[in-house]
Amino acid sequence: MQVLGIETSCDETAIAIYDSKLGILSHCLYSQIDLHNKYGGVVPELASREHVLKVLPLVKKALVEAKTEFNLLNGIAYTIGPGLMGALLVGGTVGRSLAYSLSLPAIGVHHMEAHLLALMLEENTPEYPFLALLVSGGHTQIVNVKAPGVFKILGESVDDAAGEAFDKIAKILGLPYPGGPALSVLADEGDSGRFQFPRPMTDRPGLNFSFSGLKTFTLNTINSENMDEQTRADIARAFVDAVVETFVIKCKRAINETGIKQLVVAGGVSANKQLQKALISMFNQEGGEVFFPRDEYCTDNGAMVAYAGYLRIKKGQNDTLSFIAKPRWPLEDI
Ligand code: KG4
Ligand code: ZN
């Protein structure tokens, strides 16, 4: 069975083809980073227009690279939420129309469920139930994944998402958009001992997160220091250390509260090497196992959408002819 996946929820146009016997046959991605960089963040209308231009040429490229063709496909999947309304409408419209014209099943996919399922494309996968730390530009959640498609959110950010906080601090430090990867590299040059930033909401029970206070604390530090190169790196380091340790504390708490000892980390921020190192070290001490997708499946990609769609199409699911794009769509409501 072959499923074509279309991802256009934000600033990446990504297409992939998943084959149930062979795995991912091709995955193609066009990143709009250069387009949005000069504005310091994603401009939704520009994102939609760029998706319109890129989506069909990328579909063709993915078919060629997979050495397949439209009439060998068995279904089409596309992200319908959460994300930017206009951007979601582009991928959804193209995907649903292609499926109709080819008389194929069509399935609208939840972006965060797809992120989570990206890990299942790796060799080593967890057993259900497992915990998931979902960390992207729009989401920060700890989830109990009870069974395929059955989620219970144990905690989430009450304000900014982790990726958003990374991007905002990076912007203040003069780093290019998207700031997460660049901030992580700068932090590697910094000294861990120089500044001590708060670990938000770790001094009270529960699994929720908050990053806006940490953001303000970081901004105040920037404003009160003489910002030479080393200070920039030391502040980046203190910020990354604070975010990473907060995640480690909360993940450890989630393990203790649920007794579930396997954790999947997914979404763009899961590509962060400092976070990966700290979580691996925590699991080495505590027992259990932590899983990360390969780098290109941490950030937005088409492979995760093709695979998430395959799982539903295989069960016989098929959307009606119309679809509703859902910019906000809680994971528990799938
Ligand atoms: O999942 P994703 O590609 O798109 C959304 O669904 O939002 O996540 C993008 C976010 C951005 O905020 C980006 O700065 C962050 O993930 N990110 C990182 C790293 N790579 C991507 N943050 C920290 N360290 C990284 N290495
Ligand atoms: Zn994403």
Side-chain angles (χ1 to χ4, degrees):
M1 189 171 184
Q2 285 186 2
V3 174
L4 177 95
I6 303 176
E7 158 61 37
T8 64
S9 68
C10 189
D11 58 347
E12 252 110 28
T13 319
I15 311 290
I17 295 167
Y18 175 77
D19 181 293
S20 52
K21 288 205 181 76
L22 303 170
I24 293 295
L25 298 181
S26 64
H27 78 107
C28 303
L29 184 136
Y30 173 79
S31 168
Q32 302 179 358
I33 285 177
D34 290 345
L35 173 71
H36 301 290
N37 199 1
K38 54 179 172 287
Y39 304 99
V42 179
V43 182
E45 179 60 22
L46 294 182
S48 311
R49 288 168 189 237
E50 198 69 354
H51 285 309
V52 170
L53 295 177
K54 297 295 190 254
V55 67
L56 280 173
L58 268 188
V59 166
K60 285 187 194 147
K61 186 168 178 241
L63 289 168
V64 171
E65 286 188 9
K67 299 188 175 57
T68 190
E69 44 194 272
F70 277 133
N71 62 19
L72 294 177
L73 296 177
N74 304 95
I76 307 232
Y78 36 88
T79 305
I80 53 164
L84 301 172
M85 178 54 112
L88 291 167
L89 284 172
V90 177
T93 306
V94 169
R96 190 64 195 89
S97 310
L98 268 180
Y100 175 69
S101 65
L102 298 165
S103 302
L104 290 176
I107 203 88
V109 165
H110 189 291
H111 182 77
M112 295 314 293
E113 183 186 30
H115 265 305
L116 176 64
L117 288 169
L119 192 274
M120 301 304 180
L121 293 167
E122 307 298 343
E123 252 175 44
N124 189 21
T125 57
E127 302 285 326
Y128 291 95
F130 58 86
L131 295 173
L133 175 66
L134 300 180
V135 275
S136 69
H139 289 78
T140 300
Q141 298 177 320
I142 295 188
V143 181
N144 180 349
V145 187
K146 297 180 166 191
V150 185
F151 306 101
K152 180 165 174 33
I153 294 170
L154 305 177
E156 59 192 334
S157 178
V158 296
D159 40 56
D160 291 0
E164 196 181 352
F166 264 95
D167 293 343
K168 285 179 180 166
I169 295 303
K171 192 174 175 182
I172 296 166
L173 287 171
L175 297 168
Y177 169 84
L183 189 60
S184 171
V185 170
L186 181 62
D188 267 341
E189 305 301 314
D191 172 4
S192 253
R194 178 154 168 217
F195 297 104
Q196 180 68 17
F197 285 8
R199 278 54 175 153
M201 295 181 82
T202 52
D203 57 352
R204 65 185 90 163
L207 294 170
N208 281 346
F209 301 93
S210 163
F211 292 108
S212 74
L214 174 62
K215 213 175 56 192
T216 309
F217 192 97
T218 310
L219 183 60
N220 289 343
T221 310
I222 291 169
N223 289 337
S224 64
E225 291 293 323
N226 176 19
M227 291 299 286
D228 54 33
E229 271 312 294
Q230 190 57 48
T231 305
R232 266 177 95 229
D234 292 345
I235 289 176
R237 182 61 190 244
F239 174 81
V240 172
D241 283 351
V243 173
V244 165
E245 201 186 335
T246 301
F247 282 137
V248 170
I249 293 169
K250 296 280 170 151
C251 289
K252 199 166 156 183
R253 197 177 284 176
I255 292 164
N256 290 337
E257 285 179 11
T258 59
I260 300 171
K261 284 181 167 289
Q262 289 190 311
L263 174 78
V264 170
V265 190
V269 182
S270 65
N272 183 278
K273 296 298 165 215
Q274 290 102 340
L275 178 63
Q276 295 190 359
K277 203 171 144 209
L279 283 171
I280 289 168
S281 150
M282 188 265 276
F283 275 86
N284 283 343
Q285 281 169 20
E286 302 286 318
E289 198 172 2
V290 61
F291 303 81
F292 304 94
R294 70 191 76 172
D295 282 354
E296 74 248 47
Y297 295 169
C298 287
T299 43
D300 288 351
N301 64 86
M304 65 185 196
V305 177
Y307 181 66
Y310 156 73
L311 292 180
R312 291 181 183 273
I313 289 167
K314 166 175 95 155
K315 283 197 238 157
Q317 293 182 22
N318 184 10
D319 283 356
T320 56
L321 277 181
S322 63
F323 74 93
I324 299 175
K326 302 174 189 173
R328 289 179 191 282
W329 186 11
L331 200 53
E332 287 168 331
D333 292 357
I334 294 178

